[in-house]
Amino acid sequence: MNKVVQNADEAIKDIQDGAVLMLGGFGLCGIPENCITALVKKEVKNLTCISNNAGVDDFGIGLLLQKRQLKKMIASYVGENSEFERQLLSGELEVELIPQGTLATRCLAAGYGFPVFYTPAGVGTEVAQGKEVRNFNGKDYLMEYAFDADFSIVKAWMGDTHGNLIFKETARNFNPLVAMAGRITIAEVEKLFPAGQLDPNIIHTPGIYVHRIFQGSNYEKRIEQRTVRKRK
Amino acid sequence: MALTKEQIAQRIAKELRDGYYVNLGIGIPTLVANYIPPGIEVVLQSENGLLGMGPFPFEGDEDPDLINAGKQTVTTVPGSVFFDSAMSFGMIRAGKVDLTVLGAMEVSEEGDIASWKIPGKLVKGMGGAMDLVASARNIIVAMMHTNTKGESKLLQKCSLPLTGVRCIKKIVTDIAVLEVTNGGFKLLERAPGVSIKEIISKTTGRLRVEGEIPEMKF
């Protein structure tokens, strides 16, 4: 039952060109920094990345964009990234934008074993193009599919050798959902404990969803919008 | 006098009721949090996974793991709770959030909203806007009445790609408070000193003006 690997390089060693990856995180909050660095180093290409955002120019998924390792990005908001813009406009990068709740629920559905679900988000908009619409109780809903990804990569605050995970504050975001959704799930954690050290009452992701886990290092945790108030 | 953005937020804050769970969008809606009337307790929802969003942290107390949907550093308040993004949109979809305030580029007289995409310009994505407008029971749009070219943002039909259809009930602009009805935009209030004539001239969609239209009070 020991799922521990040495580091990010070992965790991602079988990710090949053309793989479909899902990554946890919202903006730069709760992103798997160590695994992204390892993917850059491994120089895998033609990746499809499913993630709420695409990082910034020199951090997060932006690092994979800089090295032109992405073929396709599936996200809900890709605002703060000029290299992303350039690749999108030049046609180097394919982009699919989907509503944020739909993105989250497509992860959830995969982890819960539901092939599809119905959501009102996007009804009557271009998001609805080509999708089945069904009316329930007088309201229209779109049919959306569960994601199907080769690898899920998440970042947690604490984890144990069984792969049980606890997330911190809003760094939880998409991480527990992404953790459930991939065929192989890789978790990097700030603190790794022997099984039995974490209180079973407060575990967010049961280890059954996690295949590989390691304690990451050198977390930068960059802040995207530093907003403060003055002390009185 | 047309309202400032702060005054629009201040007027919207009057719609808050004690015990409301409220989601505030980016821009003018965020400012509503500064004008919560005394004696009223509301809980702010941030769709990245936080109920009970507090003010910005004091300098030096910023926590990179604690941000809002605009990716700004924030704080918690007593009673705050964190959850994942699916549950966050679950509570929105299930109608648990009492009031949603968001910005818009255009609103149609039937309550359609366009807020995420300008053809020919770079598309950044819809984020959670489509989920919010499709599900929220009570949505107020906070926006300027006209765009930077002086053209009306209250139209018969939206010209930009839609975020949602027939979902907006109330709009607060810099010159008016309006309700979306079967017969078009119904004028409820006007900004202090703004004439009905001015509102008519700046509204392209059908506008219902019935009886005395009071000035907004703050």
Side-chain angles (χ1 to χ4, degrees), chain A residues 9-46:
Chain A
D9 295 327
E10 190 188 337
I12 63 132
K13 66 175 190 297
D14 54 347
I15 296 182
Q16 305 294 339
D17 289 357
V20 178
L21 312 181
M22 308 182 69
L23 289 91
F26 180 91
L28 303 178
C29 181
I31 58 171
E33 295 182 23
N34 283 213
C35 283
I36 291 170
T37 304
L39 286 166
V40 171
K41 200 167 100 188
K42 193 169 191 279
E43 297 182 344
V44 277
K45 297 248 184 312
N46 287 319

mmCIF file of all heavy atoms in Angstrom, chain A residues 9-46:
data_model
loop_
_atom_site.group_PDB
_atom_site.id
_atom_site.type_symbol
_atom_site.label_atom_id
_atom_site.label_comp_id
_atom_site.label_asym_id
_atom_site.label_seq_id
_atom_site.Cartn_x
_atom_site.Cartn_y
_atom_site.Cartn_z
ATOM 1 N N ASP A 9 10.043 13.978 -10.433
ATOM 2 C CA ASP A 9 10.577 13.310 -11.630
ATOM 3 C C ASP A 9 10.103 11.858 -11.692
ATOM 4 O O ASP A 9 9.698 11.377 -12.750
ATOM 5 C CB ASP A 9 12.114 13.348 -11.635
ATOM 6 C CG ASP A 9 12.639 14.762 -11.743
ATOM 7 O OD1 ASP A 9 11.956 15.580 -12.411
ATOM 8 O OD2 ASP A 9 13.692 15.070 -11.162
ATOM 9 N N GLU A 10 10.162 11.178 -10.550
ATOM 10 C CA GLU A 10 9.726 9.783 -10.527
ATOM 11 C C GLU A 10 8.203 9.685 -10.699
ATOM 12 O O GLU A 10 7.694 8.787 -11.385
ATOM 13 C CB GLU A 10 10.157 9.130 -9.204
ATOM 14 C CG GLU A 10 9.962 7.617 -9.208
ATOM 15 C CD GLU A 10 10.214 6.980 -7.838
ATOM 16 O OE1 GLU A 10 10.934 7.577 -7.005
ATOM 17 O OE2 GLU A 10 9.676 5.885 -7.605
ATOM 18 N N ALA A 11 7.481 10.624 -10.103
ATOM 19 C CA ALA A 11 6.010 10.590 -10.162
ATOM 20 C C ALA A 11 5.497 10.713 -11.590
ATOM 21 O O ALA A 11 4.490 10.113 -11.958
ATOM 22 C CB ALA A 11 5.433 11.697 -9.287
ATOM 23 N N ILE A 12 6.187 11.498 -12.415
ATOM 24 C CA ILE A 12 5.683 11.776 -13.773
ATOM 25 C C ILE A 12 6.454 11.002 -14.844
ATOM 26 O O ILE A 12 6.288 11.257 -16.037
ATOM 27 C CB ILE A 12 5.738 13.290 -14.089
ATOM 28 C CG1 ILE A 12 7.183 13.812 -14.083
ATOM 29 C CG2 ILE A 12 4.874 14.090 -13.120
ATOM 30 C CD1 ILE A 12 7.513 14.648 -15.286
ATOM 31 N N LYS A 13 7.255 10.039 -14.438
ATOM 32 C CA LYS A 13 8.213 9.455 -15.395
ATOM 33 C C LYS A 13 7.541 8.774 -16.598
ATOM 34 O O LYS A 13 8.122 8.714 -17.668
ATOM 35 C CB LYS A 13 9.180 8.496 -14.689
ATOM 36 C CG LYS A 13 8.555 7.246 -14.114
ATOM 37 C CD LYS A 13 9.655 6.329 -13.562
ATOM 38 C CE LYS A 13 9.155 4.964 -13.194
ATOM 39 N NZ LYS A 13 8.157 4.927 -12.129
ATOM 40 N N ASP A 14 6.294 8.262 -16.418
ATOM 41 C CA ASP A 14 5.627 7.590 -17.541
ATOM 42 C C ASP A 14 4.641 8.499 -18.273
ATOM 43 O O ASP A 14 3.831 8.032 -19.069
ATOM 44 C CB ASP A 14 4.957 6.304 -17.071
ATOM 45 C CG ASP A 14 3.999 6.548 -15.899
ATOM 46 O OD1 ASP A 14 4.052 7.646 -15.299
ATOM 47 O OD2 ASP A 14 3.216 5.638 -15.591
ATOM 48 N N ILE A 15 4.671 9.791 -18.016
ATOM 49 C CA ILE A 15 3.825 10.716 -18.802
ATOM 50 C C ILE A 15 4.512 10.949 -20.151
ATOM 51 O O ILE A 15 5.633 11.439 -20.211
ATOM 52 C CB ILE A 15 3.579 12.046 -18.052
ATOM 53 C CG1 ILE A 15 2.783 11.779 -16.778
ATOM 54 C CG2 ILE A 15 2.846 13.041 -18.960
ATOM 55 C CD1 ILE A 15 2.421 13.020 -15.964
ATOM 56 N N GLN A 16 3.814 10.543 -21.202
ATOM 57 C CA GLN A 16 4.410 10.583 -22.550
ATOM 58 C C GLN A 16 3.830 11.722 -23.385
ATOM 59 O O GLN A 16 2.793 12.294 -23.036
ATOM 60 C CB GLN A 16 4.129 9.251 -23.279
ATOM 61 C CG GLN A 16 4.584 8.002 -22.542
ATOM 62 C CD GLN A 16 6.100 7.902 -22.407
ATOM 63 O OE1 GLN A 16 6.843 8.535 -23.173
ATOM 64 N NE2 GLN A 16 6.572 7.138 -21.431
ATOM 65 N N ASP A 17 4.482 11.989 -24.505
ATOM 66 C CA ASP A 17 3.967 12.974 -25.470
ATOM 67 C C ASP A 17 2.503 12.635 -25.807
ATOM 68 O O ASP A 17 2.173 11.462 -25.974
ATOM 69 C CB ASP A 17 4.784 12.934 -26.770
ATOM 70 C CG ASP A 17 6.180 13.511 -26.577
ATOM 71 O OD1 ASP A 17 6.488 13.984 -25.461
ATOM 72 O OD2 ASP A 17 6.957 13.479 -27.544
ATOM 73 N N GLY A 18 1.679 13.677 -25.895
ATOM 74 C CA GLY A 18 0.283 13.472 -26.293
ATOM 75 C C GLY A 18 -0.645 13.112 -25.142
ATOM 76 O O GLY A 18 -1.845 12.908 -25.354
ATOM 77 N N ALA A 19 -0.142 13.049 -23.917
ATOM 78 C CA ALA A 19 -0.980 12.663 -22.777
ATOM 79 C C ALA A 19 -2.028 13.739 -22.461
ATOM 80 O O ALA A 19 -1.835 14.918 -22.758
ATOM 81 C CB ALA A 19 -0.103 12.430 -21.547
ATOM 82 N N VAL A 20 -3.131 13.290 -21.881
ATOM 83 C CA VAL A 20 -4.161 14.212 -21.399
ATOM 84 C C VAL A 20 -4.001 14.328 -19.888
ATOM 85 O O VAL A 20 -4.108 13.344 -19.161
ATOM 86 C CB VAL A 20 -5.585 13.703 -21.742
ATOM 87 C CG1 VAL A 20 -6.638 14.656 -21.183
ATOM 88 C CG2 VAL A 20 -5.748 13.548 -23.250
ATOM 89 N N LEU A 21 -3.715 15.558 -19.422
ATOM 90 C CA LEU A 21 -3.460 15.801 -18.002
ATOM 91 C C LEU A 21 -4.530 16.706 -17.424
ATOM 92 O O LEU A 21 -4.994 17.636 -18.080
ATOM 93 C CB LEU A 21 -2.108 16.503 -17.808
ATOM 94 C CG LEU A 21 -0.874 15.951 -18.518
ATOM 95 C CD1 LEU A 21 0.339 16.806 -18.156
ATOM 96 C CD2 LEU A 21 -0.643 14.498 -18.148
ATOM 97 N N MET A 22 -4.889 16.442 -16.162
ATOM 98 C CA MET A 22 -5.730 17.386 -15.430
ATOM 99 C C MET A 22 -4.894 17.911 -14.282
ATOM 100 O O MET A 22 -4.203 17.134 -13.616
ATOM 101 C CB MET A 22 -6.939 16.692 -14.820
ATOM 102 C CG MET A 22 -7.709 15.877 -15.786
ATOM 103 S SD MET A 22 -9.132 15.174 -14.953
ATOM 104 C CE MET A 22 -10.041 16.661 -14.714
ATOM 105 N N LEU A 23 -4.970 19.222 -14.031
ATOM 106 C CA LEU A 23 -4.195 19.805 -12.942
ATOM 107 C C LEU A 23 -5.101 20.575 -11.992
ATOM 108 O O LEU A 23 -5.977 21.322 -12.434
ATOM 109 C CB LEU A 23 -3.108 20.750 -13.471
ATOM 110 C CG LEU A 23 -1.931 20.070 -14.179
ATOM 111 C CD1 LEU A 23 -2.190 19.960 -15.659
ATOM 112 C CD2 LEU A 23 -0.648 20.816 -13.930
ATOM 113 N N GLY A 24 -4.881 20.401 -10.702
ATOM 114 C CA GLY A 24 -5.628 21.156 -9.707
ATOM 115 C C GLY A 24 -5.102 22.572 -9.590
ATOM 116 O O GLY A 24 -4.052 22.914 -10.141
ATOM 117 N N GLY A 25 -5.848 23.397 -8.866
ATOM 118 C CA GLY A 25 -5.435 24.786 -8.667
ATOM 119 C C GLY A 25 -6.458 25.768 -9.204
ATOM 120 O O GLY A 25 -7.232 25.439 -10.098
ATOM 121 N N PHE A 26 -6.455 26.956 -8.594
ATOM 122 C CA PHE A 26 -7.292 28.074 -9.047
ATOM 123 C C PHE A 26 -6.374 29.279 -9.147
ATOM 124 O O PHE A 26 -5.817 29.714 -8.138
ATOM 125 C CB PHE A 26 -8.427 28.332 -8.060
ATOM 126 C CG PHE A 26 -9.324 29.463 -8.455
ATOM 127 C CD1 PHE A 26 -10.459 29.234 -9.219
ATOM 128 C CD2 PHE A 26 -9.035 30.766 -8.068
ATOM 129 C CE1 PHE A 26 -11.289 30.281 -9.591
ATOM 130 C CE2 PHE A 26 -9.867 31.821 -8.438
ATOM 131 C CZ PHE A 26 -10.986 31.568 -9.198
ATOM 132 N N GLY A 27 -6.198 29.810 -10.368
ATOM 133 C CA GLY A 27 -5.147 30.801 -10.549
ATOM 134 C C GLY A 27 -3.824 30.141 -10.213
ATOM 135 O O GLY A 27 -3.533 29.039 -10.690
ATOM 136 N N LEU A 28 -3.040 30.765 -9.352
ATOM 137 C CA LEU A 28 -1.769 30.168 -8.931
ATOM 138 C C LEU A 28 -1.889 29.520 -7.555
ATOM 139 O O LEU A 28 -0.894 29.099 -6.970
ATOM 140 C CB LEU A 28 -0.673 31.239 -8.908
ATOM 141 C CG LEU A 28 -0.446 31.985 -10.229
ATOM 142 C CD1 LEU A 28 0.638 33.054 -10.048
ATOM 143 C CD2 LEU A 28 -0.066 31.016 -11.340
ATOM 144 N N CYS A 29 -3.121 29.441 -7.054
ATOM 145 C CA CYS A 29 -3.366 28.952 -5.690
ATOM 146 C C CYS A 29 -3.589 27.441 -5.710
ATOM 147 O O CYS A 29 -4.512 26.950 -6.355
ATOM 148 C CB CYS A 29 -4.586 29.675 -5.135
ATOM 149 S SG CYS A 29 -5.023 29.240 -3.459
ATOM 150 N N GLY A 30 -2.723 26.713 -5.013
ATOM 151 C CA GLY A 30 -2.887 25.261 -4.930
ATOM 152 C C GLY A 30 -2.489 24.518 -6.188
ATOM 153 O O GLY A 30 -3.045 23.472 -6.502
ATOM 154 N N ILE A 31 -1.524 25.044 -6.932
ATOM 155 C CA ILE A 31 -1.080 24.345 -8.148
ATOM 156 C C ILE A 31 0.084 23.396 -7.813
ATOM 157 O O ILE A 31 0.870 23.666 -6.905
ATOM 158 C CB ILE A 31 -0.658 25.324 -9.279
ATOM 159 C CG1 ILE A 31 0.464 26.265 -8.824
ATOM 160 C CG2 ILE A 31 -1.857 26.118 -9.775
ATOM 161 C CD1 ILE A 31 1.056 27.098 -9.938
ATOM 162 N N PRO A 32 0.194 22.293 -8.558
ATOM 163 C CA PRO A 32 1.278 21.335 -8.295
ATOM 164 C C PRO A 32 2.600 21.825 -8.881
ATOM 165 O O PRO A 32 3.031 21.428 -9.969
ATOM 166 C CB PRO A 32 0.790 20.063 -9.003
ATOM 167 C CG PRO A 32 -0.122 20.541 -10.076
ATOM 168 C CD PRO A 32 -0.730 21.824 -9.602
ATOM 169 N N GLU A 33 3.265 22.701 -8.133
ATOM 170 C CA GLU A 33 4.472 23.381 -8.634
ATOM 171 C C GLU A 33 5.588 22.399 -9.005
ATOM 172 O O GLU A 33 6.232 22.542 -10.050
ATOM 173 C CB GLU A 33 5.016 24.344 -7.564
ATOM 174 C CG GLU A 33 4.095 25.504 -7.245
ATOM 175 C CD GLU A 33 4.729 26.452 -6.217
ATOM 176 O OE1 GLU A 33 5.958 26.472 -6.092
ATOM 177 O OE2 GLU A 33 3.969 27.182 -5.550
ATOM 178 N N ASN A 34 5.812 21.404 -8.136
ATOM 179 C CA ASN A 34 6.935 20.481 -8.384
ATOM 180 C C ASN A 34 6.715 19.667 -9.652
ATOM 181 O O ASN A 34 7.637 19.466 -10.445
ATOM 182 C CB ASN A 34 7.126 19.530 -7.197
ATOM 183 C CG ASN A 34 7.821 20.191 -6.006
ATOM 184 O OD1 ASN A 34 8.561 19.542 -5.283
ATOM 185 N ND2 ASN A 34 7.600 21.483 -5.800
ATOM 186 N N CYS A 35 5.510 19.176 -9.858
ATOM 187 C CA CYS A 35 5.232 18.348 -11.043
ATOM 188 C C CYS A 35 5.302 19.177 -12.328
ATOM 189 O O CYS A 35 5.761 18.687 -13.360
ATOM 190 C CB CYS A 35 3.870 17.662 -10.926
ATOM 191 S SG CYS A 35 3.903 16.251 -9.807
ATOM 192 N N ILE A 36 4.844 20.441 -12.256
ATOM 193 C CA ILE A 36 4.936 21.299 -13.456
ATOM 194 C C ILE A 36 6.416 21.480 -13.828
ATOM 195 O O ILE A 36 6.792 21.341 -15.004
ATOM 196 C CB ILE A 36 4.225 22.653 -13.220
ATOM 197 C CG1 ILE A 36 2.708 22.437 -13.120
ATOM 198 C CG2 ILE A 36 4.553 23.640 -14.345
ATOM 199 C CD1 ILE A 36 1.925 23.658 -12.649
ATOM 200 N N THR A 37 7.242 21.754 -12.843
ATOM 201 C CA THR A 37 8.681 21.907 -13.089
ATOM 202 C C THR A 37 9.263 20.626 -13.709
ATOM 203 O O THR A 37 10.059 20.684 -14.656
ATOM 204 C CB THR A 37 9.416 22.230 -11.772
ATOM 205 O OG1 THR A 37 8.815 23.401 -11.215
ATOM 206 C CG2 THR A 37 10.892 22.496 -11.998
ATOM 207 N N ALA A 38 8.833 19.475 -13.191
ATOM 208 C CA ALA A 38 9.335 18.194 -13.712
ATOM 209 C C ALA A 38 8.868 17.954 -15.148
ATOM 210 O O ALA A 38 9.629 17.421 -15.975
ATOM 211 C CB ALA A 38 8.885 17.054 -12.803
ATOM 212 N N LEU A 39 7.646 18.365 -15.462
ATOM 213 C CA LEU A 39 7.131 18.202 -16.835
ATOM 214 C C LEU A 39 7.913 19.085 -17.808
ATOM 215 O O LEU A 39 8.181 18.693 -18.946
ATOM 216 C CB LEU A 39 5.637 18.549 -16.895
ATOM 217 C CG LEU A 39 4.673 17.526 -16.279
ATOM 218 C CD1 LEU A 39 3.295 18.138 -16.094
ATOM 219 C CD2 LEU A 39 4.579 16.259 -17.128
ATOM 220 N N VAL A 40 8.274 20.285 -17.336
ATOM 221 C CA VAL A 40 9.087 21.181 -18.170
ATOM 222 C C VAL A 40 10.445 20.528 -18.441
ATOM 223 O O VAL A 40 10.914 20.479 -19.580
ATOM 224 C CB VAL A 40 9.263 22.562 -17.490
ATOM 225 C CG1 VAL A 40 10.274 23.415 -18.237
ATOM 226 C CG2 VAL A 40 7.924 23.292 -17.392
ATOM 227 N N LYS A 41 11.038 19.990 -17.381
ATOM 228 C CA LYS A 41 12.350 19.346 -17.487
ATOM 229 C C LYS A 41 12.292 18.117 -18.401
ATOM 230 O O LYS A 41 13.207 17.859 -19.187
ATOM 231 C CB LYS A 41 12.802 18.930 -16.076
ATOM 232 C CG LYS A 41 14.292 18.683 -15.935
ATOM 233 C CD LYS A 41 14.687 18.597 -14.457
ATOM 234 C CE LYS A 41 14.822 17.147 -14.045
ATOM 235 N NZ LYS A 41 15.007 16.972 -12.594
ATOM 236 N N LYS A 42 11.234 17.355 -18.335
ATOM 237 C CA LYS A 42 11.091 16.124 -19.127
ATOM 238 C C LYS A 42 10.842 16.418 -20.611
ATOM 239 O O LYS A 42 10.996 15.546 -21.471
ATOM 240 C CB LYS A 42 9.934 15.277 -18.563
ATOM 241 C CG LYS A 42 9.864 13.846 -19.090
ATOM 242 C CD LYS A 42 8.870 13.000 -18.272
ATOM 243 C CE LYS A 42 8.976 11.514 -18.598
ATOM 244 N NZ LYS A 42 8.286 11.100 -19.802
ATOM 245 N N GLU A 43 10.422 17.671 -20.892
ATOM 246 C CA GLU A 43 10.186 18.120 -22.272
ATOM 247 C C GLU A 43 9.149 17.294 -23.016
ATOM 248 O O GLU A 43 9.255 17.099 -24.232
ATOM 249 C CB GLU A 43 11.509 18.146 -23.052
ATOM 250 C CG GLU A 43 12.503 19.150 -22.464
ATOM 251 C CD GLU A 43 13.817 19.234 -23.253
ATOM 252 O OE1 GLU A 43 14.075 18.320 -24.053
ATOM 253 O OE2 GLU A 43 14.543 20.207 -23.041
ATOM 254 N N VAL A 44 8.143 16.777 -22.298
ATOM 255 C CA VAL A 44 7.042 16.091 -22.989
ATOM 256 C C VAL A 44 6.251 17.106 -23.793
ATOM 257 O O VAL A 44 6.065 18.239 -23.362
ATOM 258 C CB VAL A 44 6.081 15.347 -22.027
ATOM 259 C CG1 VAL A 44 6.633 13.990 -21.664
ATOM 260 C CG2 VAL A 44 5.789 16.179 -20.799
ATOM 261 N N LYS A 45 5.777 16.676 -24.960
ATOM 262 C CA LYS A 45 5.116 17.618 -25.877
ATOM 263 C C LYS A 45 3.675 17.184 -26.198
ATOM 264 O O LYS A 45 3.266 16.091 -25.838
ATOM 265 C CB LYS A 45 5.914 17.663 -27.184
ATOM 266 C CG LYS A 45 7.337 18.190 -27.017
ATOM 267 C CD LYS A 45 7.484 19.537 -27.689
ATOM 268 C CE LYS A 45 8.870 20.133 -27.679
ATOM 269 N NZ LYS A 45 9.549 20.115 -26.380
ATOM 270 N N ASN A 46 2.989 18.076 -26.908
ATOM 271 C CA ASN A 46 1.624 17.790 -27.386
ATOM 272 C C ASN A 46 0.671 17.394 -26.264
ATOM 273 O O ASN A 46 -0.203 16.549 -26.451
ATOM 274 C CB ASN A 46 1.645 16.675 -28.450
ATOM 275 C CG ASN A 46 2.212 17.177 -29.751
ATOM 276 O OD1 ASN A 46 1.918 18.302 -30.175
ATOM 277 N ND2 ASN A 46 3.047 16.372 -30.378
#
